[in-house]
Amino acid sequence: MYYQIWNFFLRDDKYFYWKEKVNGTQHFDHDMWQKIIDFLLLVEQNFSLKAQLGETDSIEPFINLAKENGYNLTPEALAWFVVTRKQIWDLFDMAQKNPSLKNKLLASKNPQQFIKIAQNNGYQFSVEELSWLLIEIKCSPELVSINNSVGEILTVSNYGKIEIGYWIWLAEYWGIVPPFCHINKSENLLKQNTRNPFLLDQCFLPKSYFNQRLISVI
């Protein structure tokens, strides 16, 4: 199934096509972002659906299978989700390889300045999209601590072992990533606040959080 997503959107020729199309159109909202995440989680829990998606050879049957399972997605929405995430991860990867770029990004006074630096280096995404991905990463078990060659503990993502703690801390400082994130929505919260991760009701800390905070002050 993940090969299909790569083949539809991230293969060299497809990626450049969709990247240009995504950058030239209005982006979707957080509801769509979360809907796609929920669909991918469903796929992981449903072996039959995963196998069916794995047999698709074009985007149309892939979208139809999603619709049959209650998810009305479009190729444009999937492309936006996949391409945007790739651009953010690619920026993190490039910053890890380029100390000068990394220092410029870490010196950003606000998320708008961060986005401007990213755009100047060819990476297109919004403050909101950066926030959504960082919150998702922070809440994920994919966030782990490892020792580098000099014994320093780094907070990294299993996605190519890219250091991620720097960006989470920076986003927390700006206020676009909260120290607490909802795992379940409370029934007694007002509707307009149900997506507010800054509320303390029914919040949790990822298991790596205390390591992050400890490392950040050393």
Side-chain angles (χ1 to χ4, degrees):
M1 187 271 295
Y2 292 106
Y3 169 76
Q4 272 67 27
I5 292 178
W6 174 85
N7 194 43
F8 298 152
F9 302 112
L10 300 181
R11 197 178 62 197
D12 289 344
D13 54 338
K14 298 287 187 180
Y15 177 63
F16 292 117
Y17 167 79
W18 283 111
K19 181 180 178 182
E20 183 176 350
K21 191 165 185 177
V22 166
N23 291 342
T25 59
Q26 184 176 2
H27 289 193
F28 296 86
D29 60 16
H30 184 263
D31 286 342
M32 180 57 71
W33 182 278
Q34 189 59 50
K35 181 185 290 187
I36 296 173
I37 290 175
D38 292 344
F39 172 66
L40 295 177
L41 288 174
L42 171 67
V43 172
E44 286 303 307
Q45 298 166 3
N46 188 324
F47 179 80
S48 175
L49 176 58
K50 188 173 185 178
Q52 292 178 68
L53 290 170
E55 294 175 356
T56 57
D57 57 3
S58 66
I59 189 62
E60 288 77 15
F62 191 99
I63 293 294
N64 289 337
L65 279 169
K67 187 173 183 179
E68 290 172 9
N69 285 271
Y71 290 86
N72 291 315
L73 306 177
T74 64
E76 291 75 16
L78 274 174
W80 160 73
F81 179 82
V82 173
V83 169
T84 299
R85 294 167 75 89
K86 177 172 170 54
Q87 291 197 76
I88 298 173
W89 278 117
D90 284 351
L91 174 65
F92 292 161
D93 185 43
M94 180 58 67
Q96 189 164 304
K97 298 172 182 175
N98 185 331
S100 176
L101 175 59
K102 180 178 179 180
N103 290 336
K104 287 180 181 178
L105 290 168
L106 289 175
S108 301
K109 302 297 184 184
N110 52 58
Q112 290 75 24
Q113 185 178 355
F114 184 98
I115 296 298
K116 183 65 175 177
I117 295 171
Q119 290 174 344
N120 290 341
N121 284 272
Y123 303 96
Q124 298 287 336
F125 51 87
S126 69
V127 172
E128 292 78 14
E129 290 159 351
L130 175 65
S131 170
W132 300 337
L133 181 59
L134 288 176
I135 290 173
E136 180 188 337
I137 294 168
K138 182 177 174 180
C139 298
S140 169
E142 296 297 301
L143 201 62
V144 297
S145 295
I146 62 171
N147 290 327
N148 65 10
S149 58
V150 295
E152 179 186 3
I153 297 177
L154 303 173
T155 305
V156 304
S157 166
N158 285 340
Y159 181 94
K161 295 299 182 186
I162 294 175
E163 298 172 20
I164 198 68
Y166 298 109
W167 315 119
I168 292 175
W169 303 332
L170 190 61
E172 286 177 348
Y173 175 75
W174 293 330
I176 66 171
V177 169
F180 294 88
C181 299
H182 281 291
I183 190 168
N184 293 309
K185 297 184 182 68
S186 173
E187 296 296 332
N188 60 6
L189 291 177
L190 295 176
K191 183 176 180 181
Q192 62 266 30
N193 289 329
T194 56
R195 289 193 177 278
N196 183 354
F198 291 86
L199 295 175
L200 297 180
D201 195 333
Q202 293 195 10
C203 292
F204 78 106
L205 286 172
K207 59 185 178 182
S208 61
Y209 181 78
F210 291 103
N211 284 338
Q212 291 180 42
R213 304 310 298 174
L214 179 62
I215 295 166
S216 69
V217 297
I218 292 177

